[in-house]
Amino acid sequence: MPKALLQRKSESSAEERHQFVASQIESRGVRDALVLEAMRHVPRELFVPRELAEKAYDDTPLPIGCGQTISQPYIVGFMIEALRLRGGERVLEIGTGSGYATAVLAHIAGEVYTIERIGELAARARDNLQRARTHSVHVRHGDGTQGWPEYAPFDAILVSEGVPNITAALRHELKIGGCLIAPIGDNPRSQELVRITRVAEEEFEREDIADVRFVPLIGKDGWESPEDDWRVKPPRVVRARPAVSVSVPSMIAKEGEIFTHLHDADLNPLIERIGDARVVLIGEASHGTSEFYRMRARITQRLIEDKKFKFVAVEADWPDAARIDHYVRHRDVPPSDWTAFARFPTWMWRNAETKSFVDWLHKNNETRAFETRAAFYGLDLYSLYNSVRVVLEYLDSVDPELAVIARERYGCLSPWEADPAAYGRAALTGEYRKCEKDVSRVLVDVLRNQQDYMMQDGERYFDAAQNARLIANAERYYRTMYYGSRASWNLRDSHMFETLNQLLVHHGAHSKAVIWAHNSHIGDASATEMSQRGEYNIGQLCRRAFGVACFSIGFGTNDGTVAAASNWDAPMEVMNVRPAHAQSYERLFHLSNAPGLMLSLRENGALREKLMRPLLERAIGVIYRPDSELASHYFEATLPRQFDEYIWIDRTSAVKPIKGIELEGMPETYPFGL
């Protein structure tokens, strides 16, 4: 070919590369000047099969033979920019392919060491690099998963094929301060592009920076065999996710007590750590997860059997829980004419997991003297009208004259029975008079007559008095909820704490309590962003009151299913739980690769210090909105200050709601009756 024609062709190719870099690389977010200049310089057409040369600058991966591809140009630029090269470094590349990314790296770095598993491609890459006049490149045919230890440490490592994980040996080929970029995932069809930075001798940070799809890396520590049906599909990219430590998950796995199945989990170390605690708060990361309910029940059974805990108090309405208490303590009371746990969300307590624990408690109490039987109570205050009904029925039987007065006073609330929240709105806007004085006067009257009422039936009096307290607090709750979430939240948790204290007094100075509630209630609120909003919770109040005699247990999960609704009063659905956010505690525990574990957060040490860095934490209630999960369900927390123990279950499943047909043949006093 004449010299002038060669020059024109070279100029034409250079112009095409400049346009390609401007339109496909720079315009899509790659800004590193060294990377852009290198991609303008390297002729990509030399690294694709001759018959595909005209497509060299198309925005797509291309086949290069041997079942492999040359990556989409943008992905090459994106990955090399993520290495944060500044020029002159020693770089290791795993997965040479045709050598194009190698050539771009070599234009920036001082020396590039590249490994290709397939001998034919390794030889072809050498030829391609020589034709492109690329210098300071060393090509090796071998297993890239083992790295190139003879020339380690490297300033940067680029893995250009999908791997299930990065081994410690490969990470240790990095210099301190160096970073490794790799597509990592347990599915050979899709991966997350990850940056691992070595920040100290045994400390690494991980950033998940993109969703991608690469051919699998085959080797001793890679995939066992390739797959054939997806190799030329273009990768997907989702930008920038935050950094998490790689060393912390391995520390979690080392220090945690790992279990595979709930029934295999050894609870003895946890029971020993609980020690002489008087109040044990056991949480849940959602109101609809089977494993949380079942593990919580196992722990509670041990506390009742081994440490003589007197009662369980749960995030449920007092009258509904009283139906359970009647059943489990074999109390001689007539069945109620209303259905327990009938209001939204019915599945929260009317489920097979709760039924199993209730049946166990019923049987466990059967042969015990009444005063030693473990009781079951509700802490919440939503049952305004059921509580009114209970108080009036009680007063009808012990003090008919006061019952008449109480009916008149409680009548203030009667227009709002269908919608108590509407009462709060009407009272605050001045459209309706407040009922505060009326309901408070009933409570005062009930408490004033305590001595007389107690002589007739102490248990019934205690139940009625607590319902009267609940009505007074609920009336305030429905009014204050319109001032904002802080006021109503604090009133609700204050009521829970007040109820707990009433129960401890009722059961005696040496009584012990188990609390079941959501993580957001039982974890210390002062260790979360709730405190910045002026909110506190029963967990914080218990720590302040009981000190080391308070022990709190939180739960977490990565993914699975959950029973929840998309809106208040909407039907229950079994929803998929999204994998944990990259900047969350749940992500750290997921990276430990433990199917389940228990981790003490009280013990000082390197791991506790690492976990003291505030991160996001997920909270799913009875409402779950996966599409807005970050905004709707995550809050910032400091885990070791929030809980004393954390129980991790990597994949979880939804609770199983009870259907009425399943309860045929049960006694009339059964708490889940129709």
Side-chain angles (χ1 to χ4, degrees):
M1 184 179 292
K3 186 175 181 179
L5 186 59
L6 281 171
Q7 185 175 352
R8 285 198 299 273
K9 186 173 182 181
S10 176
E11 290 172 354
S12 174
S13 178
E15 183 179 347
E16 185 177 10
R17 288 198 299 275
H18 276 71
Q19 292 176 353
F20 140 78
V21 170
S23 63
Q24 294 188 38
I25 313 302
E26 189 173 12
S27 67
R28 294 174 66 180
V30 176
R31 294 289 185 266
D32 191 307
L34 293 176
V35 175
L36 296 174
E37 177 56 32
M39 296 188 77
R40 293 187 192 104
H41 177 83
V42 176
R44 192 169 188 257
E45 65 271 17
L46 298 181
F47 295 88
V48 302
R50 190 166 298 176
E51 65 273 16
L52 297 175
E54 63 181 18
K55 296 184 177 181
Y57 297 104
D58 289 356
D59 183 28
T60 183
L62 296 170
I64 56 174
C66 304
Q68 303 296 296
T69 64
I70 180 174
S71 295
Q72 177 188 17
Y74 167 65
I75 293 297
V76 174
F78 181 74
M79 291 178 68
I80 295 177
E81 181 181 55
L83 287 173
R84 300 185 286 210
L85 301 176
R86 290 296 173 260
E89 294 91 348
R90 176 181 291 186
V91 178
L92 172 64
E93 181 193 31
I94 297 173
T96 315
S98 67
Y100 174 65
T102 316
V104 176
L105 284 168
H107 193 77
I108 304 170
E111 282 190 292
V112 178
Y113 295 79
T114 183
I115 307 172
E116 174 53 52
R117 175 183 60 88
I118 301 172
E120 182 181 338
L121 286 183
R124 196 181 302 162
R126 287 192 190 97
D127 292 341
N128 293 341
L129 291 163
Q130 187 174 0
R131 284 194 298 146
R133 298 178 182 178
T134 306
H135 304 289
S136 302
V137 173
H138 311 274
V139 180
R140 176 180 177 180
H141 170 219
D143 182 356
T145 67
Q146 303 303 295
W148 204 331
E150 302 96 303
Y151 294 98
F154 297 96
D155 297 291
I157 300 176
L158 180 68
V159 181
S160 298
E161 296 175 334
V163 292
N165 52 60
I166 296 295
T167 63
L170 193 57
R171 292 200 305 268
H172 282 82
E173 291 191 19
L174 276 174
K175 284 184 180 178
I176 293 175
C179 64
L180 177 153
I181 300 293
I184 299 176
D186 56 10
N187 184 340
R189 297 173 181 271
S190 62
Q191 306 90 22
E192 287 180 306
L193 191 63
V194 170
R195 174 163 54 209
I196 294 174
T197 303
R198 189 175 190 180
V199 296
E201 191 65 31
E202 294 297 332
E203 186 172 352
F204 301 84
E205 282 192 346
R206 167 178 172 146
E207 297 168 85
D208 297 348
I209 58 176
D211 290 341
V212 293
R213 185 183 292 115
F214 278 78
V215 295
L217 178 65
I218 310 302
K220 180 180 177 183
D221 294 314
W223 295 99
E224 294 181 359
S225 60
E227 296 189 11
D228 301 308
D229 60 347
W230 55 281
R231 288 194 173 95
V232 297
K233 292 180 180 177
R236 296 174 294 111
V237 175
V238 178
R239 296 284 287 213
R241 295 174 183 166
V244 295
S245 171
V246 167
S247 59
V248 173
S250 62
M251 295 171 72
I252 290 171
K254 182 178 179 181
E255 295 193 20
E257 293 147 9
I258 294 177
F259 56 86
T260 302
H261 304 289
L262 294 188
H263 59 268
D264 294 331
D266 181 5
L267 298 184
N268 290 329
L270 171 59
I271 299 300
E272 186 175 340
R273 287 192 289 271
I274 289 172
D276 296 326
R278 187 182 185 194
V279 175
V280 176
L281 302 103
I282 312 180
E284 59 189 14
S286 90
H287 282 319
T289 298
S290 176
E291 287 77 5
F292 299 157
Y293 280 64
R294 288 187 283 134
M295 180 61 92
R296 188 165 56 184
R298 276 200 65 199
I299 297 168
T300 304
Q301 288 168 10
R302 287 290 303 274
L303 293 175
I304 291 170
E305 290 178 323
D306 299 356
K307 293 184 177 290
K308 312 306 178 188
F309 273 65
K310 280 294 294 179
F311 61 88
V312 183
V314 309
E315 186 184 344
D317 292 334
W318 179 273
D320 288 334
R323 294 280 295 277
I324 290 181
D325 186 55
H326 298 162
Y327 176 71
V328 300
R329 285 203 288 167
H330 304 266
R331 292 181 58 191
D332 185 17
V333 295
S336 299
D337 59 359
W338 51 274
T339 301
F341 307 107
R343 68 168 181 84
F344 179 92
T346 56
W347 68 89
M348 183 173 164
W349 296 113
R350 290 179 68 89
N351 57 61
E353 291 79 4
T354 301
K355 176 181 180 295
S356 178
F357 174 76
V358 166
D359 289 344
W360 175 87
L361 194 55
H362 175 83
K363 185 175 181 180
N364 186 68
N365 281 334
E366 194 168 17
T367 58
R368 299 176 183 269
F370 182 79
E371 61 274 10
T372 65
R373 294 173 188 169
F376 192 98
Y377 299 106
L379 294 173
D380 228 330
L381 48 55
Y382 289 116
S383 60
L384 183 59
Y385 291 96
N386 279 338
S387 291
V388 167
R389 186 179 297 114
V390 171
V391 173
L392 294 177
E393 287 176 356
Y394 173 74
L395 291 176
D396 280 338
S397 66
V398 299
D399 194 339
E401 291 182 6
L402 183 56
V404 172
I405 297 171
R407 272 190 172 81
E408 181 180 344
R409 290 172 178 167
Y410 283 155
C412 177
L413 293 167
S414 60
W416 313 102
E417 184 166 0
D419 184 7
Y423 156 72
R425 182 169 58 249
L428 284 175
T429 57
E431 297 173 5
Y432 188 79
R433 69 184 181 90
K434 291 190 292 186
C435 300
E436 182 177 14
K437 289 183 179 179
D438 294 298
V439 299
S440 296
R441 287 165 68 187
V442 176
L443 174 60
V444 169
D445 288 339
V446 170
L447 295 178
R448 183 184 295 127
N449 295 323
Q450 175 176 353
Q451 189 171 355
D452 292 339
Y453 295 163
M454 285 279 288
M455 292 178 65
Q456 299 183 50
D457 187 333
E459 285 289 333
R460 285 194 68 206
Y461 169 76
F462 179 74
D463 180 61
Q466 185 54 38
N467 276 292
R469 286 190 187 92
L470 187 154
I471 295 162
N473 285 335
E475 186 276 336
R476 288 176 56 209
Y477 175 81
Y478 285 115
R479 281 189 291 110
T480 58
M481 67 185 292
Y482 286 95
Y483 291 123
S485 61
R486 178 180 65 182
S488 56
W489 175 276
N490 289 348
L491 194 154
R492 183 179 171 213
D493 273 60
S494 294
H495 172 81
M496 291 186 185
F497 182 65
E498 179 187 343
T499 302
L500 169 63
N501 280 312
Q502 292 292 335
L503 289 166
L504 289 171
V505 170
H506 178 68
H507 282 280
H510 301 292
S511 58
K512 297 179 180 180
V514 180
I515 308 300
W516 289 5
H518 196 280
N519 283 353
S520 56
H521 289 290
I522 67 99
D524 189 335
S526 68
T528 76
E529 68 179 54
M530 293 167 63
S531 63
Q532 298 170 15
R533 300 192 295 265
E535 296 175 353
Y536 51 81
N537 61 8
I538 187 173
Q540 181 177 348
L541 296 173
C542 283
R543 277 200 175 174
R544 187 185 302 164
F546 301 106
V548 295
C550 164
F551 193 96
S552 60
I553 304 170
F555 279 82
T557 187
N558 180 63
D559 63 1
T561 58
V562 65
S566 56
N567 288 291
W568 195 261
D569 275 337
M572 189 213 83
E573 304 173 51
V574 175
M575 301 183 182
N576 290 321
V577 178
R578 297 183 65 173
H581 189 274
Q583 202 175 358
S584 66
Y585 282 109
E586 287 89 348
R587 178 66 171 172
L588 285 179
F589 279 79
H590 173 62
L591 291 174
S592 72
N593 293 320
L597 62 80
M598 292 177 284
L599 180 69
S600 172
L601 298 173
R602 273 190 173 180
E603 299 170 8
N604 291 319
L607 176 57
R608 190 176 192 277
E609 184 179 341
K610 296 285 187 187
L611 293 174
M612 287 294 285
R613 174 189 174 193
L615 290 173
L616 295 177
E617 185 180 310
R618 180 162 55 194
I620 300 173
V622 295
I623 307 298
Y624 185 40
R625 296 177 177 135
D627 292 342
S628 61
E629 187 183 65
L630 182 58
S632 306
H633 300 287
Y634 278 97
F635 61 96
E636 191 173 87
T638 304
L639 196 72
R641 291 180 50 232
Q642 187 185 10
F643 302 111
D644 298 299
E645 188 90 12
Y646 192 66
I647 298 179
W648 175 253
I649 303 170
D650 194 69
R651 174 157 288 183
T652 50
S653 55
V655 294
K656 300 173 182 63
I658 293 176
K659 298 177 182 178
I661 194 70
E662 297 174 359
L663 303 175
E664 287 184 351
M666 298 301 293
E668 288 185 319
T669 55
Y670 195 70
F672 304 112
L674 300 178

